[in-house]
Amino acid sequence: MPRRSRLAVIAAALVVALGLQGSADPNPPPGFLGAFRWSMTDARFGGFSAIDLSADGTRFTALNDRGAFVQGQLRRTAEGRIAELEAGPVTRLKSNTDTPLAPGRNDSEGIAVAADGTTYVSFEGVTRVLRYRDIHGLAENLPTPPEFARFPHNASLEALAIDAQGVLYAIPEEVTYAKPIRLLTGQKANSDGRDFPVWRFAAGKWTQPFDLPRDGGFLPVSADFGPDGRLYVLERSFHGIPGFASRVRSFRVTASGLTDQRVDLQTSTGQHGNLEGLSVWQDGGGAIRLTMVSDDNFLSLLRTELVEYRLAD
C-alpha cells in the first residue's frame, strides 16, 4: 500500500482504538456468513494480501506483502462457517538462489495455484511474476514485459488468477498516478480514467488482450476463477477515517474481452477491514463461496480476518 494510504490507515486505526468511530453497518449484505479473527504470535504474521483455498474450502495458503506465506486448515461448523483455524509457521518465499527474497523485491501481492500445485506470485515494487513448482522451493522468473516497469510504484500487479487451462491473468491496481485528492483519503486519482489492463500469460509469453472496465472509485486488489469458470475480481475503495468499501464483480472471459458483468457483492464503507485477498470455491450445497482476507498493515490496532459470503443461486 502506498505511503499516503498507509498513513490514512494508521489514522483510521487510532480513531477506532480511541472509540471515536461508530460501528460498521449492523446489516451486512445478503449472504454474509461471518468474519473469523486470526492471530499468531510470530512477528512476521500480518499484512495479508492474497489467499487460496482448496476446492472444498478446508485448506488454505495465505500470502503477505513481505514475501512470506502461511498454510493451514479450516475447521467448519455443520452450517459451513469457520469454527477453528490451524496454521503452520510463517515461511519466507525463496529467491532462485535458495535464499529468502531480498528486501525491496519481496512485496508479494497476488497468488494463483494451478491444478498441479504450481504456485504463481505477483509483486509490486519490482513488478514481476514468479513461479514455484513447490512453494517451499526455489523461484523461477516468468518473462517480464517492458510495460511492467511503467506501472505505478506500489500499485502494480495486485490481482493474479489462473483458469482451468492454466492460463494466468494479472491486473494492476492502478495505471498512472495523478495528484492525490487529500492526504487522509489516500485515494489515488487516475489522470485519464483509463480502464485497467488485463495481462495474460500463455504459451510462454505475456499479451495484453483486453481491459477490466473501471467503474467508480474502486481499484482491483485480487482475482480468482470460480468453479463456474467466471473471473471474480475483488475491488476496494478507501475513504480515509471511515475505512474501506469492498466490491466483487465477476465476468465471463472470452477471446475478445470480459463480458456478462455482475456485481456479486458490495459492502458499505467500514463494514469490513482492508479486504485484499479473494478465493472462490463451491460448498457442499453447490453454492459459490467468497473467502476474503484482510490486510492489517502489521498494525496491532487492526485485525486480520477471514470474511466469507455465500452467493445466491
Side-chain angles (χ1 to χ4, degrees):
M1 177 177 284
R3 175 177 170 79
R4 289 186 176 88
S5 296
R6 180 172 171 81
L7 290 173
V9 170
I10 293 172
L14 290 172
V15 169
V16 171
L18 293 172
L20 300 178
Q21 183 177 19
S23 60
D25 184 347
N27 300 306
F32 176 63
L33 294 175
F36 183 89
R37 186 171 184 179
W38 178 24
S39 63
M40 293 175 66
T41 56
D42 194 315
R44 292 174 294 184
F45 177 85
F48 289 102
S49 57
I51 190 168
D52 178 82
L53 266 66
S54 60
D56 63 357
T58 62
R59 299 179 307 281
F60 73 91
T61 300
L63 178 77
N64 75 13
D65 57 15
R66 292 184 181 175
F69 66 94
V70 179
Q71 294 183 306
Q73 185 162 345
L74 301 173
R75 303 196 183 280
R76 297 180 177 274
T77 67
E79 295 77 26
R81 292 178 170 84
I82 300 174
E84 297 179 35
L85 185 155
E86 298 177 359
V90 180
T91 304
R92 296 174 67 183
L93 290 167
K94 291 182 179 180
S95 68
N96 58 2
T97 60
D98 202 24
T99 58
L101 294 170
R105 298 183 61 84
N106 63 350
D107 189 356
S108 44
E109 294 291 341
I111 189 171
V113 181
D116 65 358
T118 299
T119 300
Y120 298 86
V121 179
S122 62
F123 292 82
E124 290 186 329
V126 180
T127 304
R128 68 203 191 282
V129 176
L130 297 181
R131 175 170 53 209
Y132 291 88
R133 308 287 183 177
D134 176 348
I135 196 170
H136 295 275
L138 303 185
E140 302 172 24
N141 285 278
L142 295 190
T144 302
E147 291 87 349
F148 281 11
R150 298 200 287 269
F151 288 142
H153 182 68
N154 282 339
S156 57
L157 298 184
E158 284 264 353
L160 187 68
I162 190 166
D163 69 13
Q165 290 71 46
V167 178
L168 278 176
Y169 293 81
I171 311 170
E173 183 183 8
E174 255 301 5
V175 185
T176 59
Y177 279 126
K179 179 181 284 189
I181 299 170
R182 293 195 298 274
L183 174 63
L184 279 183
T185 66
Q187 186 73 42
K188 296 184 292 297
N190 185 269
S191 59
D192 55 11
R194 283 186 291 167
D195 292 338
F196 306 96
V198 177
W199 285 83
R200 181 168 61 192
F201 185 76
K205 65 179 182 180
W206 289 100
T207 57
Q208 200 268 295
F210 46 75
D211 296 334
L212 171 73
R214 183 185 293 266
D215 183 8
F218 286 89
L219 305 177
V221 292
S222 189
D224 193 21
F225 279 91
D228 54 359
R230 295 178 67 84
L231 176 64
Y232 290 79
V233 181
L234 171 63
E235 302 168 299
R236 69 180 173 199
S237 179
F238 189 51
H239 301 279
I241 288 175
F244 292 87
S246 298
R247 181 175 71 185
V248 175
R249 289 188 290 168
S250 68
F251 306 84
R252 292 208 174 277
V253 180
T254 70
S256 59
L258 302 177
T259 65
D260 189 28
Q261 173 181 302
R262 300 177 188 171
V263 176
D264 295 298
L265 173 68
Q266 185 162 334
T267 72
S268 60
T269 301
Q271 183 71 63
H272 302 298
N274 178 20
L275 298 180
E276 269 209 49
L278 169 70
S279 187
V280 184
W281 54 286
Q282 190 172 41
D283 64 23
I288 295 291
R289 295 280 193 103
L290 307 177
T291 299
M292 293 163 283
V293 65
S294 62
D295 179 358
D296 67 356
N297 282 275
F298 293 96
L299 297 172
S300 60
L301 297 175
L302 299 180
R303 296 181 176 184
T304 296
E305 291 184 320
L306 298 185
V307 175
E308 293 196 314
Y309 282 82
R310 179 192 290 120
L311 300 186
D313 295 336

